Amino acid sequence: MHGSGTGNGAEQRGGNGVDQEFHEYLALERELAVFLRRARASSGEMAREVHPELEPAAYGLLVRLEESGPQRATDLAGYFGVGKATMSRQLRALEELGLVTREPDPADGRASLVRPTDEGLTRFRAVRKARRDRYVRKLAGWDRGEVAELARLLHQLNARSEEG
């Protein structure tokens, strides 16, 4: 007989050998993995709807800029947790597609602010409306309070993820 002498392990392990103590976290991990895989695919589709050459990661930049207004590239890199080189490459691609532009930062003439162009906003808002309409259809059977609770919990998870 193997073990620590605390029994046969049935009390602490499920049939698949996973600690039952962490069942909720394992369920969370499984559901987030499925959700993230679908979200990545969806972001790719949304990005292509904004512009056929737009990278999926760049769609999130448009979301942030539309919600928060013009920002420095370094602030965007910090928000998304990516390096300056990665952010610079993504912003350059958006600029080349005519979806964002840079303007001098009034607070510091050496720096620039990135903002969506009118064309970028028009394309982005059309795609965002289509995405929102899909969420409304998919969650039609949900109570609006449940939708709000899911949004609150996801916000809490994202905020804690920013903390490290």
Side-chain angles (χ1 to χ4, degrees):
M1 179 172 175
H2 308 333
S4 62
T6 59
N8 65 11
E11 310 86 25
Q12 296 179 5
R13 298 193 176 271
N16 60 3
V18 175
D19 287 337
Q20 290 301 303
E21 175 184 358
F22 299 107
H23 172 75
E24 296 85 0
Y25 295 98
L26 294 171
L28 175 64
E29 178 184 32
R30 180 181 58 250
E31 295 304 323
L32 280 176
V34 172
F35 177 78
L36 291 172
R37 180 171 290 149
R38 289 178 180 164
R40 275 191 291 273
S42 178
S43 286
E45 292 170 17
M46 295 296 164
R48 285 186 295 279
E49 288 178 36
V50 171
H51 191 285
E53 297 175 37
L54 185 63
E55 293 182 32
Y59 180 83
L61 288 170
L62 291 174
V63 171
R64 178 71 176 168
L65 291 169
E66 202 269 344
E67 289 178 346
S68 301
Q71 299 204 357
R72 290 182 179 187
T74 54
D75 294 335
L76 289 166
Y79 178 79
F80 286 105
V82 299
K84 292 178 188 177
T86 299
M87 184 54 58
S88 179
R89 182 181 55 77
Q90 290 178 349
L91 290 174
R92 191 170 37 257
L94 284 168
E95 280 183 288
E96 289 171 3
L97 296 174
L99 302 175
V100 301
T101 188
R102 294 176 195 249
E103 55 193 29
D105 184 344
D108 181 354
R110 298 168 297 168
S112 63
L113 296 175
V114 179
R115 70 166 182 78
T117 61
D118 290 343
E119 175 72 12
L121 278 177
T122 298
R123 288 174 175 242
F124 167 76
R125 287 176 177 160
V127 171
R128 185 173 226 187
K129 182 184 179 316
R131 181 179 232 179
R132 185 183 58 239
D133 291 347
R134 279 185 228 167
Y135 286 143
V136 169
R137 281 193 308 277
K138 284 183 178 187
L139 302 175
W142 289 37
D143 177 272
R144 287 192 95 149
E146 292 173 320
V147 175
E149 179 67 0
L150 176 60
R152 185 190 71 75
L153 291 170
L154 288 171
H155 174 77
Q156 185 176 336
L157 179 64
N158 286 328
R160 293 228 174 126
S161 295
E162 285 179 29
E163 295 169 3

